[in-house]
Amino acid sequence: MAFHALAVKPDVYWVGAIDWSVRNFHGYSTNRGSTYNAYLILDDKITLIDTVKAPFAQELLERVASVIDPARIDIVISNHAEPDHSGAIPAVARACPHATFYASAPKGVAGLTSRYGQLPCQAARTGESISIGRRTLRFFTTPMLHWPDNMVTYCPEDRILYSNDGFGQHLATSERFDDETDWAVLLQEAQKYYANILMLYGKQAQRTVEAVSGLDIDLIANGHGVLYRSHIKEILAAYRKWSAGETDHTGAVVYDTMWGSTERLARTIAEAMSAAGIPTKLFDLREIHVSDIMTDLLTCEYLAVGSPTLNNQMMPSVEGFLGYFRGLSPRRHKAFAFGSYGWGGQSVPLVEKALEAAGCTIALPSIRAVDVPSEDQLEKIYEDVKTLG
Ligand code: FEO
């Protein structure tokens, strides 16, 4: 047997799977892989909380079997029907023929039934609890964080919050706890996760953070990445900041370029913003994935987006970025558009329109240059952009 359970509290085991290889999670660039966390509780009623992605079902069952026979599992709680957490349910249902499943009412139950057919499934509602012996498991539905069915489960006796997607990070490591991992890396991955998965649902995230802040928690057992036992206050504070839409006085310049002119504008603008006291990062869409850019856009105040004109349009990479950005609905940036063009020059007004459609406030008139910007033009752009400070 290659896969073993790891005790995270007395009689509570991590039995998830580590996905070292995943690099594209439906369009999210998972540069550091991920984990799918599941938990086994040994009590009068043996309980499994969440499962894993389907290809890892055997890994989950082997980890369970390192502690008890999977056939002895009485209860399976599914906090979320998305297949990275529920994909192994058919295998679990076969291995645990006596198990009763719990999912949120009505969306969780409907989601599991739609994907996996009829299961012996009970509906869980906010505030309801079940006793599994010495422990109680209390359910809190968290709809649209980030699917309609999401819920979290709290065990007051163990002071564990089983938070599923909430507080997750796509981070594959052999360590399971926050204090065994580089905190800066962990926080960056948690920020990237929030930016790309949860940003659109800030109000729901705020409600969830407020609901769980009143609980006595000494372990956040999440659905992805490492578990929090030493940095609970810090991750709750980060979620409060992110979900409130608080920004830092920083900036981002995002662009693509054809023959280097829009890039010259981009570098000039980034220098000017930094000189104006707005620390600014430059993101070249040819090299940097949109999901990595969103990590910074979660907290930055200023955004400049540049594109040359291609076939009377902005470049497809810029259009793709702006579509993704708009979908996440950050609605807080002070923004402006820029770009070079040979003739026509339609891209810059289109970028400005897309920024407005994404809820940005236009902070500067758009900047355009024909062909190659001259040194005098760059100097004027530098001075104009510096007025942002
Ligand atoms: Fe990790 Fe919404 O699934």
Side-chain angles (χ1 to χ4, degrees), residues 80 82 84-85 146 165 193 224:
H80 182 25
E82 194 166 6
D84 51 327
H85 305 286
H146 62 126
D165 277 337
Y193 190 93
H224 297 288

Side-chain angles (χ1 to χ4, degrees), residues 58-93:
Q58 193 53 35
E59 183 171 335
L60 165 77
L61 291 171
E62 278 196 27
R63 291 193 199 279
V64 171
S66 72
V67 182
I68 51 122
D69 178 355
R72 292 180 56 200
I73 288 176
D74 300 294
I75 291 172
V76 178
I77 291 172
S78 171
N79 282 312
H80 182 25
E82 194 166 6
D84 51 327
H85 305 286
S86 71
I89 279 182
V92 166

Side-chain angles (χ1 to χ4, degrees), residues 371-385:
D371 289 331
V372 180
S374 68
E375 287 307 315
D376 284 350
Q377 275 180 305
L378 292 174
E379 190 57 38
K380 182 170 182 335
I381 290 165
Y382 182 86
E383 293 303 329
D384 288 348
V385 172

